[in-house]
């Protein structure tokens, strides 16, 4: 393996990114080491497009297929996010970039190429921030209610004191 290829693989591993290449007619799928790491599988396992599709989260599977069909139909790449459940039962959030498909002279798709990035840690951080924001908003609302109630409760006795002081004066 050339030094530049090795450095590319190291960079992809650090970035939790990988690429895949599917020769559609031959149904030959080539995966980078990064994809194997994202999918939690050994890099000597032969994977088919169907095997990849089996890892899509059931709630996201239909949407993913629709987006791939749209990329092919429009001959324009696409970006999308989805979830997978790896062979080790890990839930991961994936950001994919599907490149423009290649067609033969008959207009049939002959090649698809894409890039996958594991964005699980980013999504988990985002979910924690959303949770913290909701908690902060709830606390702000409670504080406002308390201040409103306290000012109302103090207003009545203070009004009585003020009027008594004015009468005495």
């Amino acid at each position: 393996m050339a030094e530049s290829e090795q450095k590319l693989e190291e960079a992809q591993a650090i970035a939790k990114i990988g690429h895949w290449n599917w020769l559609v007619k031959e149904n030959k799928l080539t995966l980078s080491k990064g994809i194997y790491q994202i999918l939690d599988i050994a890099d000597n396992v032969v994977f088919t497009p169907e095997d990849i599709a089996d890892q899509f989260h059931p709630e996201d599977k239909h949407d993913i297929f629709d987006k791939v069909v749209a990329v092919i139909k429009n001959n324009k790449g696409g970006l999308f996010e989805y979830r997978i459940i790896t062979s080790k039962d890990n839930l991961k959030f994936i950001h994919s970039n599907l490149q423009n498909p290649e067609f033969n002279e008959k207009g049939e798709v002959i090649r698809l190429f894409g890039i996958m990035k594991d964005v699980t840690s980013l999504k988990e951080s985002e979910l924690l921030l959303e949770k913290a924001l909701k908690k902060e908003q709830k606390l702000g609302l409670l504080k406002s209610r308390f201040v409103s109630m306290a000012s109302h409760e103090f207003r009545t006795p203070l009004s009585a004191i003020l009027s008594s002081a004015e009468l005495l004066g």
Side-chain angles (χ1 to χ4, degrees), residues 155-169:
R155 191 177 303 133
T156 304
L158 288 175
S159 295
I161 294 170
L162 179 63
S163 64
S164 295
E166 288 175 353
L167 286 174
L168 287 175

Side-chain angles (χ1 to χ4, degrees), residues 33-98:
K33 281 191 175 188
I35 297 291
Y36 284 100
Q37 290 171 344
I38 291 170
L39 299 176
D40 291 337
I41 54 176
D43 61 358
N44 59 354
V45 174
V46 177
F47 244 58
T48 66
E50 292 80 16
D51 295 329
I52 300 284
D54 287 342
Q55 292 199 335
F56 296 151
H57 191 283
E59 293 174 8
D60 297 348
K61 195 175 280 196
H62 184 71
D63 190 42
I64 295 167
F65 290 134
D66 287 348
K67 288 179 180 177
V68 171
V69 168
V71 163
I72 293 170
K73 182 180 176 183
N74 299 327
N75 191 17
K76 184 178 178 185
L79 299 170
F80 44 99
E81 285 188 12
Y82 53 92
R83 298 167 293 174
I84 61 170
I85 301 173
T86 69
S87 56
K88 295 180 181 177
D89 285 332
N90 292 325
L91 176 68
K92 292 188 176 184
F93 292 86
I94 304 298
H95 181 88
S96 278
N97 183 349
L98 184 57

Side-chain angles (χ1 to χ4, degrees), residues 24-42:
V24 178
K25 290 289 185 186
E26 298 92 32
N27 201 30
K28 182 180 177 191
L29 182 65
T30 307
L31 306 174
S32 71
K33 281 191 175 188
I35 297 291
Y36 284 100
Q37 290 171 344
I38 291 170
L39 299 176
D40 291 337
I41 54 176

